[in-house]
Amino acid sequence: MNFNFAWLLPVIIGLGLVLLLALAVRRRRPPRRDNPLLALQPTLPAANDEGQEPPPAAPAPPRAAPEPAAREHSPAPEPVPTGMVLAEIAIMLLSPVGDITYASPAACRLFGLAADELVGKPASRLLPPWRQGELVEELASHHPGEWETQRLIQHNKLIDVHLISRPLADDTGQPTGGRLWCLWDITQQRRQEGTLRLAGRSVDLLHEGVLISDVARGNLIVYANAAVERITGHAGEEILGRKPRFLHQTVSAHPAGAEELRQAMAERRSCHVILHQQRPDGTLFWHEISLTPLVNDQQHATHLLFLLRDVSEQFEFIQELRCREGRERTVIEQAPIAICIVDQEHRIRTVNPMLERMFGYDAEQLLQNSLFTLLPEVVWHDVVPEPPAYERRGGEFMLQNRRGEKLTVLASAVALKEPDDKPLTALFLTDITGRKRTEQALAEAKERAMVTLAAIGEGVITTNNRGVVDYLNPAAERLTGWTREDVMGMELDQVFDLRDEESRQPLSNPVERALRLDRTVNITRRALLVTNDSREFSLQITATPIHDRQQKIIGAVMVFRDVSKIRVAERRMAREAKYDELTGLRNRREFNALLNQALAAASEEGKEHVLGYLDLDKFKIINDTCGHDAGDEVLKQVAELMQAQLRNTDILARLGGDEFAILLSSCPMEAGHKIAEQIRRALEEYRFTWHGRAFELSVSIGLVQLQADSGTLDDVLKAADTACYQAKEQGRNRIQQYQPQASQGSAAGALWQDRIRQGIAENRFTLWARRSRILSSDQRLPHYYELSLTLRDDQGHYLPESSFLPMAERHQLIMDVEKWKISTLMARVATTCDPNKVYALKLATMALQVSEQLCPFILQQAERCGLNSKNIAFEINETDLTANFTRVKRLFKALKKAGFRLTIDRFGYNRGSFGHLEELAVDFLKLDAGITNSLLENHVDYILAETVSRVGQLMRLPVIATGVDDASLLAAMEEMKIDYVLGEVIDPGRPLEEIISRSTQDRVYAGSEPGKTTLPVQ
């Protein structure tokens, strides 16, 4: 918007003249001539640079000493503060957006900036942060404004500024949105006003006599307040303009105080004395004098301040007390209770130190004052003895001392008489606040204990020292089936039927044992409570004896907790430790233990057994085509089918994935071969159907005879694995008996070993990267790249990792492959500085089993390459997580500490994995491809995917969906608020080196917006 500023010149001149006239008329009110500020102003500190007022001075009632020349003339009005002329009014123009479009020379001087440093800059930077919001509101309105603010200018100096703001208008009078600012510096004015206010308040608070003498004028008195005349008897006219010699004139026989005051005045230092003097009318008086020098910035004394206080009454009263009291005073002062003696007018005559401490007053503040300054009148009437009997009365009362503390006192009073028969009353106050607090605390503790016992989930039963029940909390009532009223007076054995979980035999009473042994008794296992309504609960029990202060047993408390669900979970976990969760077969650990027993029996007893290693053929086709649901169903059906072919004494186990093992006890090889053939034939005839599609399945079996000389567990497992591999190499769907001469493997196996070793040595492996598409609107999410490994053969073809990783695992080369992947990835990523990219590398299953070796290697490589750890994420399959949870947890903790990101791949099928998320502190969740591919047809998979997305949102974990290759799936992912999607159409992948290379990346994505791939519609 263009502004025509030609019309502003007359407006500015007119407004300046108006402001000048207003400032000239608005004169400050002249200060009172009796204000001590007139004497002290040259030496009092000004406001600090932050505009804050100085701390208040000592209180003093104001009355100034007029100068001789000023006594005959009324004070002239003070002039208008300097600087308030038109030339010093800063003028600035603001655009509608708040930018400065014009700044007058006065504005430049005001802010200490050149014109080019102001014009074109936002006006908000001239205001403190708390005023900037007002500027925004002002620009949005068309109303004039006037306010004061602060501005930090050059040299970090904070000044006060008065600002008048007017809206700008065009030739027609319509607001243009800009503003006219007129500003001037009022810093000095504010400081002087603050100093005046502080000094005035301080003086108003003083009740003592105040004298001020001017050192530069020969120490002449320049100020005296009315209290000086009252205390000394000298009129103000007699004091002002004289030296303060009369202050150190004394009638005392010990003039040390007067000499000290005289010396302090000469040396201009502080002192405090008490002098006995005589007034002009002849009366004697005692008064305190406090001398304080007032110094300037150079620490030179410019004035002397004298504070006077008449203490004659205190001296006379003290003398009277010393004469009339005596030994009684000693008794009163040493009394452990507060004592106060009052006369018939309720004036306090005597107090002891205990009362002073109790109420926070000094004796001088209380004596001769009304008793009702200490306690309410109603309390006095409740405790004062009444004639004619004058019997002692009292009670408990709530009082408040000077410090605001609430006191509970036990008050009583007795009537006394003075020698002249004047009645007195002695009031005795005992502070029982501590006792009351203790009683209150005990009552509250008891109430809290009762509320806690009623609220906790553990059952609590208390008994006396004979084992008779005297209390049950609500949880105990719920668990035992008894009510508190029913069991009062009953023995615990009648209420608590405790049995052994396994034998069902009665268990000994834990309370009886705790009382007999005088120690805590714990029952943590095998305790089963049978209630009176035949319900059963597994319990953990603790019984503890209760002692009194003399350590005598007075009863016992028994706390018990329902652990039925925990026991069920323990039994389930014990079973899961031995059995495969999916198929119900024994797992690898349990099978190895049974196999060790069989080897021991073969060695010691000469028995023969047969070990079989079974690997399903064509299982991967089903799992990849139909998803993990179909794969799991196949495994369960196959397990049932194979179990049906075995004898009752035979053992079938799932070792992992699609690998099984059988242990045929007391079985020669010929019989074992027949059983294996039955299994093979059954699977050959088996057809698996999934959503209308039928799949064939077969099995390759390797058999090993277990004899006395078969060797160790690893030997026989390796032999069975080798035989199974030979069966696969010979065409699959067959049985191969282990032959020792073929133990080094087939030629094909050796060929794969050479290929893998050659690939590592010659860098024939390539890290292949697929870029995900971000669906989330969260701009903080990094770009996520999924990495896989390929092997280039002699013809230059890239072989997928599924073709050689199983061979690497079989021939113990997987760690070499993993180390190549990790070291290569880190070396490549270390060359890029883009923090907005994450490269995710999947860790092999067998590598996790040796994570103790893998983790140090990862950390060592990261340190050697000097990369940003947040650029790399490590992926672990959900199946590997559940199977190796302890190892994975340790590995994740170390990697997380080093700054790496963590991803759980193929997440969603195992419900137990949801509970591990907080423990593992992962960064990404990758949805299982089987769920993604079938969620449009399978309602359960849709709900499962939606659940994973919801969990990710709640835990702030980005969710990645894989296998998204059509528009309908993409729409479903967007509806579920999935954060990332991966698919062959989105990005088929390319070598990692191309992704990292910026020039190559620009060339690859030329002509298309990254992450915006168009998907085909089904």
Side-chain angles (χ1 to χ4, degrees):
M1 178 180 296
N2 296 322
F3 295 93
N4 183 5
F5 296 110
W7 60 274
L8 286 178
L9 184 58
V11 174
I12 294 173
I13 295 175
L15 181 59
L17 293 174
V18 171
L19 290 175
L20 180 60
L21 178 61
L23 292 174
V25 173
R26 186 183 173 187
R27 299 176 181 269
R28 292 179 300 172
R29 179 182 179 182
R32 292 169 48 191
R33 294 302 298 171
D34 60 347
N35 193 323
L37 181 63
L38 296 178
L40 299 179
Q41 189 170 5
T43 60
L44 287 177
N48 56 28
D49 288 342
E50 285 74 16
Q52 298 173 347
E53 296 178 352
R63 192 176 79 161
E67 295 291 335
R71 297 177 182 174
E72 300 177 1
H73 303 282
S74 58
E78 293 185 5
V80 177
T82 60
M84 291 193 178
V85 295
L86 182 60
E88 291 304 315
I89 296 178
I91 304 296
M92 292 198 309
L93 298 179
L94 274 62
S95 70
V97 296
D99 291 341
I100 300 172
T101 59
Y102 169 77
S104 68
C108 297
R109 289 192 298 274
L110 176 64
F111 294 109
L113 298 172
D116 58 349
E117 294 179 298
L118 288 173
V119 176
K121 304 299 188 298
S124 59
R125 73 187 189 111
L126 301 179
L127 301 178
W130 58 87
R131 285 289 192 183
Q132 294 177 5
E134 299 181 18
L135 174 60
V136 176
E137 296 176 0
E138 185 184 55
L139 291 171
S141 70
H142 302 296
H143 303 289
E146 180 173 354
W147 32 285
E148 296 178 1
T149 183
Q150 291 180 328
R151 160 64 186 159
L152 188 67
I153 64 173
Q154 289 182 344
H155 310 299
N156 292 328
K157 182 180 178 183
L158 193 65
I159 64 170
D160 292 297
V161 177
H162 194 97
L163 187 149
I164 296 178
S165 175
R166 294 293 184 269
L168 298 179
D170 55 20
D171 296 337
T172 64
Q174 295 298 318
T176 62
R179 306 290 292 190
L180 167 67
W181 274 11
C182 296
L183 312 94
W184 62 91
D185 186 355
I186 59 171
T187 304
Q188 189 63 27
Q189 176 184 348
R190 289 292 174 263
R191 290 179 178 175
Q192 292 177 355
E193 290 175 354
T195 303
L196 288 171
R197 286 196 300 272
L198 288 175
R201 287 200 298 268
S202 301
V203 173
D204 290 342
L205 293 175
L206 290 178
H207 298 285
E208 296 87 349
V210 178
L211 282 174
I212 299 176
S213 68
D214 191 345
V215 174
R217 297 169 58 187
N219 218 20
L220 296 180
I221 297 174
V222 296
Y223 174 79
N225 67 351
V228 174
E229 181 177 346
R230 175 176 50 79
I231 295 173
T232 65
H234 293 280
E237 292 77 8
E238 301 173 2
I239 298 174
L240 294 175
R242 296 176 51 193
K243 293 188 177 182
R245 294 192 183 95
F246 70 94
L247 292 179
H248 50 74
Q249 296 173 354
T250 177
V251 298
S252 173
H254 303 284
E259 181 61 27
E260 180 181 357
L261 177 61
R262 185 183 302 108
Q263 188 68 25
M265 291 169 56
E267 298 175 0
R268 299 169 187 173
R269 59 176 175 83
S270 300
C271 78
H272 178 84
V273 296
I274 298 178
L275 300 180
H276 194 199
Q277 294 187 326
Q278 187 176 17
R279 298 186 180 95
D281 60 359
T283 59
L284 299 177
F285 67 102
W286 291 85
H287 70 145
E288 290 180 325
I289 302 178
S290 296
L291 169 61
T292 302
L294 304 179
V295 298
N296 57 17
D297 294 340
Q298 290 75 33
Q299 299 300 311
H300 296 154
T302 60
H303 297 78
L304 297 181
L305 173 65
F306 300 88
L307 297 181
L308 289 68
R309 187 165 71 93
D310 188 353
V311 295
S312 302
E313 293 182 1
Q314 289 90 327
F315 270 74
E316 294 172 1
F317 190 66
I318 291 173
Q319 186 63 30
E320 180 183 355
L321 289 179
R322 288 174 180 172
C323 295
R324 298 188 59 181
E325 297 176 359
R327 290 175 298 180
E328 291 84 357
R329 167 54 56 189
T330 303
V331 174
I332 292 175
E333 289 181 351
Q334 299 300 324
I337 62 175
I339 301 176
C340 178
I341 299 177
V342 298
D343 58 21
Q344 58 185 353
E345 285 82 21
H346 306 124
R347 292 196 303 267
I348 299 175
R349 303 288 296 275
T350 303
V351 295
N352 70 340
M354 178 59 73
L355 185 138
E356 297 177 28
R357 293 193 295 271
M358 181 183 297
F359 286 94
Y361 290 96
D362 295 335
E364 295 180 357
Q365 298 172 312
L366 296 174
L367 297 177
Q368 295 302 321
N369 288 322
S370 174
L371 172 68
F372 302 136
T373 61
L374 292 181
L375 71 163
E377 188 173 354
V378 63
V379 176
W380 169 257
H381 291 306
D382 285 342
V383 299
V384 65
E386 294 182 354
Y390 290 104
E391 295 180 354
R392 182 167 180 164
R393 303 171 62 191
E396 293 183 4
F397 302 95
M398 291 291 297
L399 302 177
Q400 181 172 332
N401 63 16
R402 187 182 184 185
R403 296 181 294 272
E405 300 169 345
K406 300 293 185 180
L407 303 177
T408 304
V409 299
L410 184 62
S412 62
V414 295
L416 302 176
K417 285 188 177 182
E418 288 190 291
D420 56 359
D421 289 336
K422 289 183 179 180
L424 298 175
T425 302
L427 180 65
F428 305 97
L429 302 173
T430 303
D431 186 1
I432 59 173
T433 306
R435 188 179 76 189
K436 285 296 182 181
R437 288 175 180 171
T438 302
E439 293 175 356
Q440 180 67 19
L442 290 174
E444 292 176 356
K446 181 178 179 181
E447 180 65 21
R448 284 195 299 269
M450 298 303 294
V451 173
T452 302
L453 290 173
I456 61 176
E458 287 82 2
V460 178
I461 297 178
T462 60
T463 70
N464 60 16
N465 57 4
R466 299 187 306 276
V468 176
V469 177
D470 54 25
Y471 174 77
L472 275 79
N473 74 336
E477 293 180 341
R478 184 177 65 256
L479 291 173
T480 62
W482 295 89
T483 64
R484 188 185 312 175
E485 293 75 14
D486 293 337
V487 302
M488 294 298 290
M490 296 175 60
E491 293 186 359
L492 183 62
D493 286 335
Q494 299 175 276
V495 178
F496 212 67
D497 185 7
L498 201 61
R499 300 177 180 272
D500 186 284
E501 279 187 334
E502 298 178 0
S503 65
R504 312 290 292 187
Q505 295 298 314
L507 292 178
S508 60
N509 185 338
V511 169
E512 185 275 329
R513 290 171 58 195
L515 293 173
R516 176 167 47 83
L517 300 175
D518 192 13
R519 63 176 177 83
T520 299
V521 174
N522 294 306
I523 301 179
T524 58
R525 302 191 66 80
R526 299 185 298 105
L528 183 70
L529 173 66
V530 181
T531 66
N532 61 350
D533 53 0
S534 300
R535 293 177 298 147
E536 295 183 352
F537 298 97
S538 296
L539 301 181
Q540 284 184 350
I541 305 172
T542 299
T544 304
I546 303 174
H547 301 85
D548 60 12
R549 293 186 177 181
Q550 289 73 37
Q551 296 302 307
K552 180 181 178 181
I553 296 177
I554 59 175
V557 58
M558 181 176 67
V559 181
F560 49 97
R561 182 164 65 101
D562 180 14
V563 294
S564 302
K565 294 182 179 179
I566 296 177
R567 296 283 167 79
V568 171
E570 288 175 350
R571 287 191 286 268
R572 184 178 68 251
M573 291 176 64
R575 176 174 176 80
E576 290 176 354
K578 295 182 178 181
Y579 292 87
D580 178 60
E581 182 180 3
L582 178 64
T583 61
L585 302 176
R586 288 178 171 85
N587 58 18
R588 181 186 292 271
R589 179 184 300 175
E590 179 66 10
F591 183 79
N592 288 347
L594 296 173
L595 183 56
N596 266 327
Q597 296 176 11
L599 288 172
S603 176
E604 297 172 4
E605 303 174 15
K607 293 184 177 180
E608 290 186 345
H609 313 288
V610 173
L611 169 64
Y613 198 97
L614 299 83
D615 194 333
L616 298 181
D617 305 324
K618 306 177 184 178
F619 172 76
K620 183 172 175 53
I621 297 175
I622 301 175
N623 199 52
D624 292 345
T625 304
C626 302
H628 287 285
D629 277 348
D632 291 347
E633 184 62 28
V634 168
L635 294 176
K636 289 189 287 187
Q637 294 183 17
V638 165
E640 294 177 1
L641 187 62
M642 290 191 294
Q643 187 69 58
Q645 314 305 318
L646 300 178
R647 304 171 300 174
N648 293 335
T649 58
D650 298 335
I651 297 171
L652 174 63
R654 182 189 176 203
L655 303 183
D658 59 351
E659 297 176 349
F660 296 83
I662 55 175
L663 178 59
L664 309 178
S665 303
S666 302
C667 181
M669 179 56 75
E670 183 179 354
H673 199 284
K674 291 182 179 179
I675 295 174
E677 178 60 25
Q678 294 175 6
I679 294 174
R680 188 200 65 78
R681 188 179 301 111
L683 287 179
E684 185 180 35
E685 297 172 356
Y686 167 73
R687 294 293 181 273
F688 174 70
T689 303
W690 185 260
H691 295 318
R693 299 178 61 183
F695 297 89
E696 296 180 353
L697 204 66
S698 62
V699 63
S700 298
I701 305 175
L703 298 180
V704 177
Q705 182 74 62
L706 303 184
Q707 299 172 334
D709 58 351
S710 294
T712 64
L713 175 70
D714 290 340
D715 293 337
V716 297
L717 285 175
K718 186 175 181 181
D721 180 56
T722 300
C724 180
Y725 177 72
Q726 292 173 356
K728 281 186 171 291
E729 287 292 313
Q730 294 173 13
R732 305 175 184 265
N733 191 23
R734 64 186 64 246
I735 302 169
Q736 178 65 44
Q737 185 176 342
Y738 175 70
Q739 302 295 333
Q741 61 272 21
S743 61
Q744 297 301 320
S746 65
L751 178 59
W752 271 113
Q753 293 183 54
D754 293 341
R755 282 183 178 178
I756 294 172
R757 291 192 178 99
Q758 187 179 15
I760 295 173
E762 299 178 1
N763 274 331
R764 292 195 173 193
F765 287 110
T766 300
L767 285 173
W768 204 258
R770 288 199 306 166
R771 179 176 178 172
S772 64
R773 174 179 174 181
I774 302 177
L775 300 183
S776 172
S777 60
D778 189 350
Q779 300 296 324
R780 296 170 297 178
L781 291 181
H783 293 288
Y784 192 93
Y785 291 85
E786 181 187 65
L787 302 180
S788 59
L789 191 63
T790 60
L791 175 61
R792 190 176 70 254
D793 61 13
D794 294 336
Q795 288 74 38
H797 300 144
Y798 287 98
L799 304 178
E801 59 185 19
S802 59
S803 64
F804 58 84
L805 282 186
M807 302 304 299
E809 292 180 349
R810 182 180 299 276
H811 295 290
Q812 310 299 319
L813 295 174
I814 190 63
M815 276 302 296
D816 297 333
V817 175
E818 291 297 293
K819 288 181 178 180
W820 187 94
K821 290 195 304 185
I822 293 168
S823 60
T824 302
L825 172 62
M826 291 186 177
R828 298 288 189 273
V829 173
T831 62
T832 181
C833 299
D834 190 349
N836 198 35
K837 291 181 180 179
V838 174
Y839 302 94
L841 185 67
K842 185 180 298 182
L843 297 178
T845 303
M846 290 188 66
L848 294 176
Q849 297 175 3
V850 288
S851 57
E852 294 80 3
Q853 304 174 23
L854 183 63
C855 184
F857 178 79
I858 294 175
L859 300 180
Q860 179 184 4
Q861 290 297 312
E863 183 178 0
R864 183 180 66 83
C865 296
L867 54 79
N868 183 358
S869 303
K870 292 188 177 297
N871 284 127
I872 294 181
F874 289 102
E875 294 185 354
I876 293 180
N877 281 344
E878 182 187 59
T879 306
D880 297 333
L881 168 65
T882 54
N884 306 275
F885 180 71
T886 303
R887 287 193 180 97
V888 171
K889 183 177 179 181
R890 287 198 299 266
L891 176 63
F892 270 28
K893 183 177 181 181
L895 295 179
K896 192 71 175 178
K897 184 177 180 181
F900 292 102
R901 306 191 195 222
L902 306 171
T903 302
I904 298 182
D905 190 15
R906 297 184 176 179
F907 185 82
Y909 275 116
N910 193 335
R911 289 175 297 175
S913 300
F914 287 90
H916 297 323
L917 292 180
E918 290 188 357
E919 294 185 68
L920 297 176
V922 299
D923 298 284
F924 300 95
L925 298 178
K926 186 181 285 189
L927 195 63
D928 189 281
I931 298 176
T932 306
N933 293 332
S934 60
L935 61 84
L936 294 180
E937 294 82 16
N938 190 324
H939 184 63
V940 174
D941 283 345
Y942 188 93
I943 294 176
L944 188 55
E946 200 171 36
T947 301
V948 173
S949 176
R950 182 58 178 161
V951 169
Q953 295 170 27
L954 292 175
M955 300 187 69
R956 297 183 178 179
L957 297 177
V959 178
I960 306 167
T962 59
V964 180
D965 290 326
D966 59 69
S968 55
L969 274 178
L970 180 63
M973 297 299 102
E974 291 176 339
E975 182 180 354
M976 294 180 189
K977 297 183 178 180
I978 298 292
D979 301 285
Y980 295 89
V981 290
L982 279 164
E984 291 294 330
V985 176
I986 293 174
D987 187 358
R990 57 191 54 80
L992 176 62
E993 292 184 357
E994 294 183 13
I995 299 294
I996 292 179
S997 173
R998 182 179 297 274
S999 58
T1000 305
Q1001 181 180 2
D1002 293 341
R1003 186 171 63 254
V1004 171
Y1005 287 97
S1008 63
E1009 186 180 356
K1012 297 296 183 180
T1013 307
T1014 304
L1015 297 179
V1017 180
Q1018 285 186 340

